[in-house]
Amino acid sequence: DRPTPFGYASPFPDRFVFGVSASAPQIEGAAFEGGKGESNWDRFARQPGAVHGGDTLDVAVDHYHRFDEDFALMASLGVKDYRLSIAWPRIIPDGTGAVNEEGIAFYHRLFASLKKHGITPWVTLFHWDLPLALEARGGWTSRETVDAFARYAEVVVKAFAGEVKHWITLNEIRCFTMLAYGFGTKAPGRRESAAVVNQTYHHAIVSHGHAVRAVRQFGGPGAQVGLTDNSDVCVPVTETEADIAAATAWFRDRNAHILGAIHAGHYPPSYLKRAGADAPTVLPGDFELISQPTDFLGLNIYTAHYVRAADNELGYEQLVLPANYPRADPPWLHLVPQSIYWAPRLATELYGHRSIYITENGCGYDDEPVRNGEVHDLHRRDFLRSHLREVHRAIGDGVPIDGYFLWSFIDNFEWEDGYQRRFGIVHCDYETLQRTPKLSARYYAEVMRARRIL
Ligand code: GBH
């Protein structure tokens, strides 16, 4: 290292993983090619008003046909670890029937290309694209989906055990349960009762357990597995003992039905009391599956609520943010870099996790034009820098964060917001499908190379 009068920021630990993240439905396209079955999202996107601008997943960024050039670009930026997902409807098109060998062959080619470019895959089994046939029979409200997922997980882990050592069971349970069957903003867009939604949560954590078991049985030596959760996240308004205790209690209450249940091996009594008659039906053996130990916890962190101590029966209160609080373009994406410090710290303290990966962190903006071959996304560069500083602070305080995956490698289908909202560090022109690394890609490449915040 070149000595300067001021020195450099201290490095991240040697074993710390810097990566990028994406998911099959958001980038692959080829929605009706290669023997792939229709997904719940393929259908949902065709429902008038469901997705901004009527956008579909049909082409996306055409990664299905361009993965080799995309991985070459990744490698040129110095990316060594890449989190992707496998499309269930590509593997088992109708959810329960025959395995689509063309789909298996596609991912073998994809993993071979990653290997050629020196990139390690981190594979999520489910990132929300459910075979439509299962959705038609109730989707995550139905126990049949759990059984179908258990088989799918086995098929995938057996097929790719030779190529994949890092497995993630599910991505963001809240998004394909509560937001899909309660709020109705995600596929299939249903608005059901709390009892139905609680049952979808339960089906999701049982499915997580099935995937853990599949990796333990068929993953081969050295295979690792964990859940990627989008925990409800808060930060203490001040980092004082009282506000930290309040934030801890808030975090425990809000995550009782997912992280709390997985950790405890049963639903916490406080959750059952709150749910009352709407509590989910639990079958014998469910919690043996659910509570199997995992190798790491994945956390997707974008933002947080502010919490402070309060003189009420809960002991805490959540602040209402002022309208002018800074945010990225999604209305929910308030800029709270301390989120990425506090979520891993509280998860460690409450559930005893010994290895945490930030499996997503990033920001979205609507208007990012290419000018003279460049995208000057300084706002994203600042977002990354402020969040990486908090990751670094957490590690310094003893929080076991072992890696960070930026969301996302490339602009993509941002669910109900369609293609207008861009989260990539690589720009995609949706007319020509041309890729242009943004300024933030250059910044992140330098950070990965130096393994320090620059
Ligand atoms: C992640 O979700 C996803 O894993 C990824 O696929 C996605 O592209 C990325 O982040 C960027 O959005 O107004 O209450 O309905 C982010 C988590 C959960 C954040 C749902 C927004 C909706 C807020 N998202 N939440 S609400």
Side-chain angles (χ1 to χ4, degrees):
D1 285 353
R2 188 164 49 92
T4 72
F6 304 106
Y8 288 116
S10 63
F12 282 82
D14 289 342
R15 59 193 286 253
F16 189 84
V17 171
F18 286 100
V20 295
S21 202
S23 84
Q26 294 176 274
I27 62 170
E28 280 183 5
F32 301 95
E33 254 180 80
K36 176 178 164 293
E38 191 174 356
S39 79
N40 57 345
W41 271 93
D42 293 328
R43 182 60 64 95
F44 183 64
R46 287 175 159 69
Q47 207 168 287
V51 173
H52 176 88
D55 291 344
T56 70
L57 306 78
D58 296 6
V59 179
V61 306
D62 196 33
H63 179 71
Y64 184 83
H65 297 110
R66 296 166 197 245
F67 62 81
D68 197 56
E69 76 178 76
D70 284 340
F71 298 152
L73 176 53
M74 262 183 213
S76 78
L77 295 172
V79 171
K80 302 240 174 339
D81 290 270
Y82 168 48
R83 172 173 176 255
L84 66 143
S85 81
I86 287 185
W88 183 351
R90 229 180 249 303
I91 302 293
I92 305 176
D94 72 356
T96 50
V99 172
N100 172 33
E101 292 306 330
E102 239 186 298
I104 302 273
F106 165 69
Y107 289 108
H108 279 310
R109 289 201 304 281
L110 184 144
F111 291 130
S113 170
L114 279 173
K115 190 170 183 191
K116 180 179 83 184
H117 289 106
I119 301 169
T120 300
W122 296 63
V123 175
T124 305
L125 288 165
F126 183 72
H127 201 121
W128 313 351
D129 48 342
L130 187 71
L132 184 65
L134 284 169
E135 193 69 80
R137 296 201 292 275
W140 288 103
T141 70
S142 164
R143 184 82 190 194
E144 188 196 353
T145 295
V146 178
D147 300 332
F149 178 81
R151 170 170 174 256
Y152 159 69
E154 264 194 46
V155 167
V156 170
V157 173
K158 278 182 183 164
F160 304 112
E163 293 131 291
V164 178
K165 287 297 158 205
H166 306 276
W167 295 99
I168 293 161
T169 58
L170 304 170
N171 181 68
E172 297 198 350
I173 288 174
R174 283 175 176 80
C175 289
F176 66 88
T177 56
M178 179 182 65
L179 296 181
Y181 299 92
F183 286 23
T185 51
K186 301 210 186 286
R190 287 169 56 176
R191 287 166 195 269
E192 306 289 349
S193 66
V196 171
V197 171
N198 287 340
Q199 197 62 48
T200 64
Y201 275 119
H202 185 68
H203 290 158
I205 61 176
V206 178
S207 297
H208 159 76
H210 277 296
V212 173
R213 187 153 78 184
V215 173
R216 297 293 182 232
Q217 286 187 343
F218 308 111
Q224 298 194 347
V225 63
L227 169 72
T228 278
D229 188 37
N230 60 326
S231 312
D232 262 352
V233 171
C234 65
V235 306
V237 175
T238 67
E239 296 192 355
T240 55
E241 222 173 290
D243 283 355
I244 292 171
T248 306
W250 184 99
F251 192 95
R252 191 186 45 227
D253 286 352
R254 295 287 286 255
N255 296 294
H257 57 311
I258 300 181
L259 293 185
I262 291 172
H263 174 65
H266 55 78
Y267 281 116
S270 58
Y271 166 73
L272 290 177
K273 198 172 152 213
R274 243 181 304 139
D278 296 331
T281 304
V282 177
L283 298 186
D286 279 358
F287 268 103
E288 279 147 47
L289 278 168
I290 292 167
S291 65
Q292 291 166 98
T294 55
D295 302 298
F296 60 86
L297 171 67
L299 291 174
N300 291 355
I301 307 291
Y302 289 89
T303 186
H305 301 286
Y306 282 93
V307 168
R308 68 179 174 192
D311 209 1
N312 57 27
E313 77 267 24
L314 293 170
Y316 57 75
E317 68 184 1
Q318 186 185 310
L319 299 199
V320 177
L321 287 184
N324 60 357
Y325 188 93
R327 61 168 174 87
D329 278 340
W332 53 269
L333 216 167
H334 297 108
L335 304 181
V336 189
Q338 312 96 283
S339 56
I340 210 167
Y341 173 93
W342 282 102
R345 175 168 158 177
L346 295 176
T348 301
E349 286 175 355
L350 286 168
Y351 315 119
H353 285 289
R354 282 194 296 251
S355 175
I356 290 179
Y357 290 87
I358 306 300
T359 37
E360 289 180 24
N361 171 243
C363 58
Y365 289 92
D366 293 355
D367 188 24
E368 299 197 307
V370 181
R371 294 206 178 93
N372 300 323
E374 292 195 292
V375 180
H376 288 172
D377 59 339
L378 288 164
H379 41 316
R380 184 170 289 103
R381 174 266 186 211
D382 287 348
F383 182 99
L384 297 177
R385 188 169 201 276
S386 59
H387 285 74
L388 285 168
R389 287 175 78 96
E390 290 291 317
V391 172
H392 196 268
R393 172 164 81 107
I395 295 169
D397 284 1
V399 182
I401 307 180
D402 290 328
Y404 171 94
F405 291 80
L406 188 160
W407 183 276
S408 178
F409 172 62
I410 187 166
D411 294 339
N412 59 58
F413 179 78
E414 178 52 20
W415 307 110
E416 64 269 31
D417 293 331
Y419 294 102
Q420 67 146 4
R421 198 143 280 161
R422 297 174 178 276
F423 272 80
I425 54 170
V426 172
H427 180 276
C428 180
D429 178 324
Y430 290 112
E431 301 290 314
T432 63
L433 294 174
Q434 192 186 332
R435 279 82 163 126
T436 307
K438 303 177 192 178
L439 181 143
S440 58
R442 302 298 178 207
Y443 172 73
Y444 191 52
E446 290 300 325
V447 168
M448 286 188 288
R449 191 185 53 75
R451 303 183 61 76
R452 295 164 201 264
I453 297 161
L454 302 172

